Amino acid sequence: MGRPEAGWMERLPKDRLIAEFSVWSADLVRLADDMARIAPHADILHIDVADGVFAPAFLFFPDLVAAVRNVSDRPIHVHLMVDDAVLLSQIDQFAEAGTDLISIHLENAAVAGAALDRIAAHGMKAGMVLRVETPVAGVAEWLPRLDMVTLLGTAIGVKGQGLNEAAPARLREAGALIAASGRRIVLAADGGIRETTVPVLRAAGAETVVLGSLAFGAPDLAARMAWLASL
């Protein structure tokens, strides 16, 4: 279907939660069907990538992104959970596959400058993700180069965990840093996303939450999305 039109990030909604759907929770056997099912509701598709070193899981690969790109015109956000040694090559591969936004980790700080240069050279938007144990203040120096900041609310790369109790305060701290920067940077929450936690995260300043089973497993997706939009 091709990439979204230029300026897609500037057009993301500001009056409701941005709907970011995690492909990790889709039916991967019927991926095209699931992408069509969520198309009326999704603002962004979120694809996690993990190398089994930086994060314990092995998750997704460039061919999957290319397959998603063929069946969806939604912006694709790739979250790279990979070791410094492969970060730059991974950026190249996922850019070629059709990614629109790549987020690296603050914990990749040793190569973060080069990684952000590479993302910019490919004409993509840039994000940065912080593990739940990483001090939020560390992201401040990178804000002039970022379009999104994502705070993890659970341990990295593992499904089904409860939200860390520090998550709301960390969002508020990040929101204050973003406000002080004077830039439009989307603040996202990822991990521990439940019906009971989304209102708390939204109240703490999250502009988007990464939706897994809360969306894909909803008995009535339209009703679930209407509820999310009302928060």
Side-chain angles (χ1 to χ4, degrees), residues 23-55:
V23 174
W24 194 4
S25 292
D27 184 339
L28 298 181
V29 175
R30 298 176 177 83
L31 185 57
D33 292 341
D34 250 4
M35 294 301 98
R37 181 168 69 93
I38 68 171
H41 309 288
D43 297 309
I44 302 174
L45 302 178
H46 182 104
I47 298 181
D48 288 306
V49 174
D51 60 359
V53 178
F54 185 90

PDB file of all heavy atoms in Angstrom, residues 23-55:
ATOM      1  N   VAL A  23       1.909  -4.896  16.778  1.00  0.00           N
ATOM      2  CA  VAL A  23       1.766  -6.054  15.887  1.00  0.00           C
ATOM      3  C   VAL A  23       2.105  -7.356  16.614  1.00  0.00           C
ATOM      4  O   VAL A  23       1.662  -8.430  16.214  1.00  0.00           O
ATOM      5  CB  VAL A  23       2.633  -5.854  14.624  1.00  0.00           C
ATOM      6  CG1 VAL A  23       2.634  -7.088  13.725  1.00  0.00           C
ATOM      7  CG2 VAL A  23       2.127  -4.641  13.836  1.00  0.00           C
ATOM      8  N   TRP A  24       2.852  -7.272  17.711  1.00  0.00           N
ATOM      9  CA  TRP A  24       3.162  -8.460  18.516  1.00  0.00           C
ATOM     10  C   TRP A  24       1.893  -9.169  18.997  1.00  0.00           C
ATOM     11  O   TRP A  24       1.876 -10.376  19.216  1.00  0.00           O
ATOM     12  CB  TRP A  24       4.027  -8.035  19.693  1.00  0.00           C
ATOM     13  CG  TRP A  24       4.705  -9.150  20.442  1.00  0.00           C
ATOM     14  CD1 TRP A  24       4.691 -10.482  20.139  1.00  0.00           C
ATOM     15  CD2 TRP A  24       5.504  -9.022  21.615  1.00  0.00           C
ATOM     16  NE1 TRP A  24       5.439 -11.186  21.047  1.00  0.00           N
ATOM     17  CE2 TRP A  24       5.950 -10.329  21.963  1.00  0.00           C
ATOM     18  CE3 TRP A  24       5.895  -7.944  22.397  1.00  0.00           C
ATOM     19  CZ2 TRP A  24       6.765 -10.567  23.070  1.00  0.00           C
ATOM     20  CZ3 TRP A  24       6.711  -8.181  23.503  1.00  0.00           C
ATOM     21  CH2 TRP A  24       7.133  -9.469  23.831  1.00  0.00           C
ATOM     22  N   SER A  25       0.809  -8.425  19.144  1.00  0.00           N
ATOM     23  CA  SER A  25      -0.445  -9.000  19.635  1.00  0.00           C
ATOM     24  C   SER A  25      -1.411  -9.370  18.516  1.00  0.00           C
ATOM     25  O   SER A  25      -2.516  -9.843  18.781  1.00  0.00           O
ATOM     26  CB  SER A  25      -1.128  -8.024  20.594  1.00  0.00           C
ATOM     27  OG  SER A  25      -0.388  -7.891  21.785  1.00  0.00           O
ATOM     28  N   ALA A  26      -1.016  -9.155  17.269  1.00  0.00           N
ATOM     29  CA  ALA A  26      -1.865  -9.531  16.135  1.00  0.00           C
ATOM     30  C   ALA A  26      -1.806 -11.042  15.909  1.00  0.00           C
ATOM     31  O   ALA A  26      -0.940 -11.735  16.443  1.00  0.00           O
ATOM     32  CB  ALA A  26      -1.407  -8.797  14.877  1.00  0.00           C
ATOM     33  N   ASP A  27      -2.735 -11.538  15.101  1.00  0.00           N
ATOM     34  CA  ASP A  27      -2.714 -12.933  14.659  1.00  0.00           C
ATOM     35  C   ASP A  27      -1.721 -13.008  13.504  1.00  0.00           C
ATOM     36  O   ASP A  27      -2.040 -12.617  12.380  1.00  0.00           O
ATOM     37  CB  ASP A  27      -4.113 -13.361  14.221  1.00  0.00           C
ATOM     38  CG  ASP A  27      -4.184 -14.830  13.841  1.00  0.00           C
ATOM     39  OD1 ASP A  27      -3.124 -15.425  13.522  1.00  0.00           O
ATOM     40  OD2 ASP A  27      -5.300 -15.390  13.825  1.00  0.00           O
ATOM     41  N   LEU A  28      -0.526 -13.494  13.766  1.00  0.00           N
ATOM     42  CA  LEU A  28       0.515 -13.468  12.743  1.00  0.00           C
ATOM     43  C   LEU A  28       0.254 -14.441  11.602  1.00  0.00           C
ATOM     44  O   LEU A  28       0.817 -14.286  10.512  1.00  0.00           O
ATOM     45  CB  LEU A  28       1.878 -13.762  13.382  1.00  0.00           C
ATOM     46  CG  LEU A  28       2.325 -12.743  14.442  1.00  0.00           C
ATOM     47  CD1 LEU A  28       3.697 -13.107  14.984  1.00  0.00           C
ATOM     48  CD2 LEU A  28       2.327 -11.329  13.884  1.00  0.00           C
ATOM     49  N   VAL A  29      -0.606 -15.427  11.824  1.00  0.00           N
ATOM     50  CA  VAL A  29      -0.986 -16.338  10.734  1.00  0.00           C
ATOM     51  C   VAL A  29      -1.944 -15.643   9.774  1.00  0.00           C
ATOM     52  O   VAL A  29      -1.917 -15.885   8.567  1.00  0.00           O
ATOM     53  CB  VAL A  29      -1.615 -17.623  11.305  1.00  0.00           C
ATOM     54  CG1 VAL A  29      -2.123 -18.523  10.187  1.00  0.00           C
ATOM     55  CG2 VAL A  29      -0.585 -18.377  12.157  1.00  0.00           C
ATOM     56  N   ARG A  30      -2.755 -14.743  10.308  1.00  0.00           N
ATOM     57  CA  ARG A  30      -3.731 -14.001   9.488  1.00  0.00           C
ATOM     58  C   ARG A  30      -3.439 -12.501   9.588  1.00  0.00           C
ATOM     59  O   ARG A  30      -4.320 -11.690   9.836  1.00  0.00           O
ATOM     60  CB  ARG A  30      -5.154 -14.313   9.960  1.00  0.00           C
ATOM     61  CG  ARG A  30      -5.524 -15.791   9.809  1.00  0.00           C
ATOM     62  CD  ARG A  30      -6.914 -16.091  10.366  1.00  0.00           C
ATOM     63  NE  ARG A  30      -7.280 -17.473  10.165  1.00  0.00           N
ATOM     64  CZ  ARG A  30      -6.904 -18.478  10.967  1.00  0.00           C
ATOM     65  NH1 ARG A  30      -6.145 -18.233  12.035  1.00  0.00           N
ATOM     66  NH2 ARG A  30      -7.271 -19.719  10.705  1.00  0.00           N
ATOM     67  N   LEU A  31      -2.191 -12.168   9.381  1.00  0.00           N
ATOM     68  CA  LEU A  31      -1.738 -10.809   9.630  1.00  0.00           C
ATOM     69  C   LEU A  31      -2.474  -9.795   8.760  1.00  0.00           C
ATOM     70  O   LEU A  31      -2.898  -8.741   9.245  1.00  0.00           O
ATOM     71  CB  LEU A  31      -0.230 -10.711   9.394  1.00  0.00           C
ATOM     72  CG  LEU A  31       0.424  -9.371   9.728  1.00  0.00           C
ATOM     73  CD1 LEU A  31       0.178  -8.989  11.184  1.00  0.00           C
ATOM     74  CD2 LEU A  31       1.925  -9.432   9.443  1.00  0.00           C
ATOM     75  N   ALA A  32      -2.636 -10.078   7.485  1.00  0.00           N
ATOM     76  CA  ALA A  32      -3.310  -9.128   6.601  1.00  0.00           C
ATOM     77  C   ALA A  32      -4.740  -8.878   7.059  1.00  0.00           C
ATOM     78  O   ALA A  32      -5.227  -7.733   7.024  1.00  0.00           O
ATOM     79  CB  ALA A  32      -3.289  -9.643   5.164  1.00  0.00           C
ATOM     80  N   ASP A  33      -5.416  -9.936   7.515  1.00  0.00           N
ATOM     81  CA  ASP A  33      -6.786  -9.781   8.009  1.00  0.00           C
ATOM     82  C   ASP A  33      -6.821  -8.890   9.242  1.00  0.00           C
ATOM     83  O   ASP A  33      -7.699  -8.028   9.385  1.00  0.00           O
ATOM     84  CB  ASP A  33      -7.395 -11.154   8.342  1.00  0.00           C
ATOM     85  CG  ASP A  33      -7.625 -12.014   7.114  1.00  0.00           C
ATOM     86  OD1 ASP A  33      -7.668 -11.450   6.002  1.00  0.00           O
ATOM     87  OD2 ASP A  33      -7.739 -13.241   7.273  1.00  0.00           O
ATOM     88  N   ASP A  34      -5.860  -9.088  10.153  1.00  0.00           N
ATOM     89  CA  ASP A  34      -5.834  -8.273  11.362  1.00  0.00           C
ATOM     90  C   ASP A  34      -5.486  -6.818  11.046  1.00  0.00           C
ATOM     91  O   ASP A  34      -6.021  -5.900  11.670  1.00  0.00           O
ATOM     92  CB  ASP A  34      -4.849  -8.855  12.377  1.00  0.00           C
ATOM     93  CG  ASP A  34      -5.557  -9.460  13.586  1.00  0.00           C
ATOM     94  OD1 ASP A  34      -6.815  -9.492  13.586  1.00  0.00           O
ATOM     95  OD2 ASP A  34      -4.881  -9.891  14.531  1.00  0.00           O
ATOM     96  N   MET A  35      -4.590  -6.599  10.091  1.00  0.00           N
ATOM     97  CA  MET A  35      -4.260  -5.222   9.715  1.00  0.00           C
ATOM     98  C   MET A  35      -5.486  -4.525   9.108  1.00  0.00           C
ATOM     99  O   MET A  35      -5.733  -3.344   9.358  1.00  0.00           O
ATOM    100  CB  MET A  35      -3.089  -5.195   8.731  1.00  0.00           C
ATOM    101  CG  MET A  35      -1.761  -5.670   9.299  1.00  0.00           C
ATOM    102  SD  MET A  35      -1.163  -4.719  10.742  1.00  0.00           S
ATOM    103  CE  MET A  35      -1.704  -5.771  12.107  1.00  0.00           C
ATOM    104  N   ALA A  36      -6.265  -5.259   8.337  1.00  0.00           N
ATOM    105  CA  ALA A  36      -7.486  -4.680   7.772  1.00  0.00           C
ATOM    106  C   ALA A  36      -8.514  -4.399   8.865  1.00  0.00           C
ATOM    107  O   ALA A  36      -9.219  -3.383   8.828  1.00  0.00           O
ATOM    108  CB  ALA A  36      -8.069  -5.630   6.729  1.00  0.00           C
ATOM    109  N   ARG A  37      -8.583  -5.284   9.870  1.00  0.00           N
ATOM    110  CA  ARG A  37      -9.561  -5.124  10.951  1.00  0.00           C
ATOM    111  C   ARG A  37      -9.279  -3.879  11.781  1.00  0.00           C
ATOM    112  O   ARG A  37     -10.210  -3.179  12.205  1.00  0.00           O
ATOM    113  CB  ARG A  37      -9.540  -6.377  11.837  1.00  0.00           C
ATOM    114  CG  ARG A  37     -10.523  -6.358  12.990  1.00  0.00           C
ATOM    115  CD  ARG A  37     -10.638  -7.717  13.632  1.00  0.00           C
ATOM    116  NE  ARG A  37      -9.438  -8.110  14.347  1.00  0.00           N
ATOM    117  CZ  ARG A  37      -9.219  -7.895  15.647  1.00  0.00           C
ATOM    118  NH1 ARG A  37     -10.129  -7.255  16.375  1.00  0.00           N
ATOM    119  NH2 ARG A  37      -8.110  -8.302  16.231  1.00  0.00           N
ATOM    120  N   ILE A  38      -8.008  -3.579  12.013  1.00  0.00           N
ATOM    121  CA  ILE A  38      -7.675  -2.435  12.853  1.00  0.00           C
ATOM    122  C   ILE A  38      -7.506  -1.140  12.058  1.00  0.00           C
ATOM    123  O   ILE A  38      -7.411  -0.060  12.649  1.00  0.00           O
ATOM    124  CB  ILE A  38      -6.403  -2.699  13.680  1.00  0.00           C
ATOM    125  CG1 ILE A  38      -5.179  -2.779  12.780  1.00  0.00           C
ATOM    126  CG2 ILE A  38      -6.574  -3.939  14.549  1.00  0.00           C
ATOM    127  CD1 ILE A  38      -3.863  -2.812  13.554  1.00  0.00           C
ATOM    128  N   ALA A  39      -7.480  -1.235  10.736  1.00  0.00           N
ATOM    129  CA  ALA A  39      -7.192  -0.058   9.903  1.00  0.00           C
ATOM    130  C   ALA A  39      -8.075   1.152  10.217  1.00  0.00           C
ATOM    131  O   ALA A  39      -7.580   2.286  10.237  1.00  0.00           O
ATOM    132  CB  ALA A  39      -7.297  -0.425   8.422  1.00  0.00           C
ATOM    133  N   PRO A  40      -9.386   0.972  10.471  1.00  0.00           N
ATOM    134  CA  PRO A  40     -10.212   2.152  10.763  1.00  0.00           C
ATOM    135  C   PRO A  40      -9.871   2.836  12.091  1.00  0.00           C
ATOM    136  O   PRO A  40     -10.313   3.961  12.336  1.00  0.00           O
ATOM    137  CB  PRO A  40     -11.638   1.584  10.808  1.00  0.00           C
ATOM    138  CG  PRO A  40     -11.575   0.281  10.105  1.00  0.00           C
ATOM    139  CD  PRO A  40     -10.206  -0.252  10.390  1.00  0.00           C
ATOM    140  N   HIS A  41      -9.094   2.162  12.939  1.00  0.00           N
ATOM    141  CA  HIS A  41      -8.851   2.653  14.296  1.00  0.00           C
ATOM    142  C   HIS A  41      -7.401   3.028  14.573  1.00  0.00           C
ATOM    143  O   HIS A  41      -7.140   3.806  15.492  1.00  0.00           O
ATOM    144  CB  HIS A  41      -9.267   1.584  15.310  1.00  0.00           C
ATOM    145  CG  HIS A  41     -10.644   1.046  15.100  1.00  0.00           C
ATOM    146  ND1 HIS A  41     -11.781   1.775  15.378  1.00  0.00           N
ATOM    147  CD2 HIS A  41     -11.073  -0.147  14.610  1.00  0.00           C
ATOM    148  CE1 HIS A  41     -12.852   1.047  15.077  1.00  0.00           C
ATOM    149  NE2 HIS A  41     -12.453  -0.110  14.615  1.00  0.00           N
ATOM    150  N   ALA A  42      -6.453   2.486  13.830  1.00  0.00           N
ATOM    151  CA  ALA A  42      -5.036   2.628  14.148  1.00  0.00           C
ATOM    152  C   ALA A  42      -4.463   3.920  13.579  1.00  0.00           C
ATOM    153  O   ALA A  42      -4.634   4.224  12.407  1.00  0.00           O
ATOM    154  CB  ALA A  42      -4.260   1.436  13.617  1.00  0.00           C
ATOM    155  N   ASP A  43      -3.762   4.651  14.435  1.00  0.00           N
ATOM    156  CA  ASP A  43      -2.984   5.802  13.979  1.00  0.00           C
ATOM    157  C   ASP A  43      -1.550   5.403  13.637  1.00  0.00           C
ATOM    158  O   ASP A  43      -0.936   5.979  12.735  1.00  0.00           O
ATOM    159  CB  ASP A  43      -2.945   6.888  15.066  1.00  0.00           C
ATOM    160  CG  ASP A  43      -4.324   7.455  15.376  1.00  0.00           C
ATOM    161  OD1 ASP A  43      -5.020   7.852  14.428  1.00  0.00           O
ATOM    162  OD2 ASP A  43      -4.700   7.490  16.563  1.00  0.00           O
ATOM    163  N   ILE A  44      -1.008   4.435  14.376  1.00  0.00           N
ATOM    164  CA  ILE A  44       0.362   3.965  14.205  1.00  0.00           C
ATOM    165  C   ILE A  44       0.384   2.453  14.423  1.00  0.00           C
ATOM    166  O   ILE A  44      -0.325   1.933  15.288  1.00  0.00           O
ATOM    167  CB  ILE A  44       1.322   4.625  15.227  1.00  0.00           C
ATOM    168  CG1 ILE A  44       1.297   6.154  15.111  1.00  0.00           C
ATOM    169  CG2 ILE A  44       2.753   4.110  15.062  1.00  0.00           C
ATOM    170  CD1 ILE A  44       2.115   6.853  16.199  1.00  0.00           C
ATOM    171  N   LEU A  45       1.224   1.756  13.662  1.00  0.00           N
ATOM    172  CA  LEU A  45       1.513   0.344  13.911  1.00  0.00           C
ATOM    173  C   LEU A  45       2.868   0.257  14.611  1.00  0.00           C
ATOM    174  O   LEU A  45       3.849   0.839  14.163  1.00  0.00           O
ATOM    175  CB  LEU A  45       1.547  -0.440  12.600  1.00  0.00           C
ATOM    176  CG  LEU A  45       0.275  -0.398  11.763  1.00  0.00           C
ATOM    177  CD1 LEU A  45       0.476  -1.178  10.466  1.00  0.00           C
ATOM    178  CD2 LEU A  45      -0.926  -0.947  12.537  1.00  0.00           C
ATOM    179  N   HIS A  46       2.904  -0.467  15.710  1.00  0.00           N
ATOM    180  CA  HIS A  46       4.100  -0.592  16.542  1.00  0.00           C
ATOM    181  C   HIS A  46       4.683  -1.990  16.361  1.00  0.00           C
ATOM    182  O   HIS A  46       3.989  -2.983  16.591  1.00  0.00           O
ATOM    183  CB  HIS A  46       3.724  -0.350  18.009  1.00  0.00           C
ATOM    184  CG  HIS A  46       4.860  -0.390  18.962  1.00  0.00           C
ATOM    185  ND1 HIS A  46       5.407   0.755  19.505  1.00  0.00           N
ATOM    186  CD2 HIS A  46       5.568  -1.423  19.488  1.00  0.00           C
ATOM    187  CE1 HIS A  46       6.399   0.426  20.326  1.00  0.00           C
ATOM    188  NE2 HIS A  46       6.511  -0.888  20.333  1.00  0.00           N
ATOM    189  N   ILE A  47       5.951  -2.066  15.965  1.00  0.00           N
ATOM    190  CA  ILE A  47       6.601  -3.359  15.746  1.00  0.00           C
ATOM    191  C   ILE A  47       7.860  -3.429  16.609  1.00  0.00           C
ATOM    192  O   ILE A  47       8.785  -2.638  16.451  1.00  0.00           O
ATOM    193  CB  ILE A  47       6.943  -3.582  14.262  1.00  0.00           C
ATOM    194  CG1 ILE A  47       5.650  -3.607  13.428  1.00  0.00           C
ATOM    195  CG2 ILE A  47       7.718  -4.888  14.076  1.00  0.00           C
ATOM    196  CD1 ILE A  47       5.850  -3.852  11.947  1.00  0.00           C
ATOM    197  N   ASP A  48       7.863  -4.379  17.533  1.00  0.00           N
ATOM    198  CA  ASP A  48       9.010  -4.586  18.413  1.00  0.00           C
ATOM    199  C   ASP A  48      10.054  -5.455  17.727  1.00  0.00           C
ATOM    200  O   ASP A  48       9.724  -6.448  17.072  1.00  0.00           O
ATOM    201  CB  ASP A  48       8.566  -5.269  19.709  1.00  0.00           C
ATOM    202  CG  ASP A  48       7.778  -4.342  20.609  1.00  0.00           C
ATOM    203  OD1 ASP A  48       8.280  -3.251  20.923  1.00  0.00           O
ATOM    204  OD2 ASP A  48       6.642  -4.704  21.001  1.00  0.00           O
ATOM    205  N   VAL A  49      11.308  -5.085  17.915  1.00  0.00           N
ATOM    206  CA  VAL A  49      12.438  -5.844  17.373  1.00  0.00           C
ATOM    207  C   VAL A  49      13.392  -6.123  18.534  1.00  0.00           C
ATOM    208  O   VAL A  49      13.824  -5.190  19.219  1.00  0.00           O
ATOM    209  CB  VAL A  49      13.161  -5.046  16.269  1.00  0.00           C
ATOM    210  CG1 VAL A  49      14.425  -5.778  15.819  1.00  0.00           C
ATOM    211  CG2 VAL A  49      12.231  -4.805  15.087  1.00  0.00           C
ATOM    212  N   ALA A  50      13.701  -7.394  18.773  1.00  0.00           N
ATOM    213  CA  ALA A  50      14.609  -7.762  19.865  1.00  0.00           C
ATOM    214  C   ALA A  50      15.573  -8.831  19.369  1.00  0.00           C
ATOM    215  O   ALA A  50      15.191  -9.734  18.619  1.00  0.00           O
ATOM    216  CB  ALA A  50      13.815  -8.271  21.065  1.00  0.00           C
ATOM    217  N   ASP A  51      16.833  -8.716  19.820  1.00  0.00           N
ATOM    218  CA  ASP A  51      17.896  -9.569  19.296  1.00  0.00           C
ATOM    219  C   ASP A  51      18.271 -10.731  20.204  1.00  0.00           C
ATOM    220  O   ASP A  51      19.204 -11.482  19.909  1.00  0.00           O
ATOM    221  CB  ASP A  51      19.143  -8.726  18.997  1.00  0.00           C
ATOM    222  CG  ASP A  51      19.700  -8.020  20.240  1.00  0.00           C
ATOM    223  OD1 ASP A  51      19.111  -8.166  21.334  1.00  0.00           O
ATOM    224  OD2 ASP A  51      20.723  -7.321  20.099  1.00  0.00           O
ATOM    225  N   GLY A  52      17.582 -10.880  21.344  1.00  0.00           N
ATOM    226  CA  GLY A  52      17.933 -11.948  22.265  1.00  0.00           C
ATOM    227  C   GLY A  52      19.159 -11.635  23.103  1.00  0.00           C
ATOM    228  O   GLY A  52      19.570 -12.458  23.921  1.00  0.00           O
ATOM    229  N   VAL A  53      19.741 -10.457  22.925  1.00  0.00           N
ATOM    230  CA  VAL A  53      20.913 -10.020  23.695  1.00  0.00           C
ATOM    231  C   VAL A  53      20.528  -8.821  24.554  1.00  0.00           C
ATOM    232  O   VAL A  53      20.552  -8.886  25.783  1.00  0.00           O
ATOM    233  CB  VAL A  53      22.098  -9.646  22.769  1.00  0.00           C
ATOM    234  CG1 VAL A  53      23.287  -9.144  23.590  1.00  0.00           C
ATOM    235  CG2 VAL A  53      22.494 -10.840  21.920  1.00  0.00           C
ATOM    236  N   PHE A  54      20.141  -7.734  23.915  1.00  0.00           N
ATOM    237  CA  PHE A  54      19.688  -6.541  24.637  1.00  0.00           C
ATOM    238  C   PHE A  54      18.403  -6.833  25.389  1.00  0.00           C
ATOM    239  O   PHE A  54      18.182  -6.338  26.491  1.00  0.00           O
ATOM    240  CB  PHE A  54      19.467  -5.412  23.627  1.00  0.00           C
ATOM    241  CG  PHE A  54      19.111  -4.085  24.233  1.00  0.00           C
ATOM    242  CD1 PHE A  54      20.111  -3.182  24.583  1.00  0.00           C
ATOM    243  CD2 PHE A  54      17.789  -3.734  24.459  1.00  0.00           C
ATOM    244  CE1 PHE A  54      19.787  -1.957  25.158  1.00  0.00           C
ATOM    245  CE2 PHE A  54      17.463  -2.515  25.019  1.00  0.00           C
ATOM    246  CZ  PHE A  54      18.464  -1.619  25.373  1.00  0.00           C
ATOM    247  N   ALA A  55      17.534  -7.627  24.774  1.00  0.00           N
ATOM    248  CA  ALA A  55      16.271  -8.052  25.394  1.00  0.00           C
ATOM    249  C   ALA A  55      16.182  -9.571  25.284  1.00  0.00           C
ATOM    250  O   ALA A  55      16.750 -10.157  24.363  1.00  0.00           O
ATOM    251  CB  ALA A  55      15.090  -7.395  24.691  1.00  0.00           C
TER     252      ALA A  55
END
